[in-house]
Amino acid sequence: LIPPPLREIPILIDSSADRRTLPLIAGFADIWHSAEPIDEFRRRDDLLKSYAEAAQRDDSSIERAVLWRGPSEADLYRKEGAT
């Protein structure tokens, strides 16, 4: 890029595809964005953790970002580690 970036550009992937995209997120993404209900987010987060382990990557290096629909939902997602 010209001019070069001043910092590393994070890779954000928005997806909820269990078998195709979550492994890519586990291997390469800096940020996973999800718009799932909280129960589905928890299930997919567990899958992401197992995919990250298979990719020999620390899952805590992947930021979880979510679309929430109000303060009560925000608190639930925050407790699960989402930003």
Side-chain angles (χ1 to χ4, degrees):
L1 297 172
I2 301 175
L6 298 175
R7 64 180 176 90
E8 184 177 320
I9 299 172
I11 299 171
L12 182 148
I13 301 176
D14 178 286
S15 178
S16 57
D18 291 352
R19 295 187 338 183
R20 290 194 178 206
T21 314
L22 282 179
L24 290 174
I25 293 166
F28 302 102
D30 299 301
I31 306 167
W32 167 44
H33 185 267
S34 175
E36 303 298 326
I38 188 68
D39 291 333
E40 193 62 20
F41 173 81
R42 287 179 182 130
R43 186 184 74 76
R44 290 204 168 112
D45 188 49
D46 288 340
L47 276 175
L48 180 61
K49 289 174 184 176
S50 66
Y51 287 134
E53 184 178 335
Q56 299 179 347
R57 186 165 178 217
D58 181 5
D59 78 277
S60 67
S61 68
I62 305 167
E63 182 179 340
R64 276 77 162 164
V66 296
L67 172 66
W68 47 270
R69 295 164 183 85
S72 61
E73 275 194 11
D75 291 339
L76 290 173
Y77 286 108
R78 188 71 181 147
K79 287 178 185 173
E80 296 298 322
T83 57

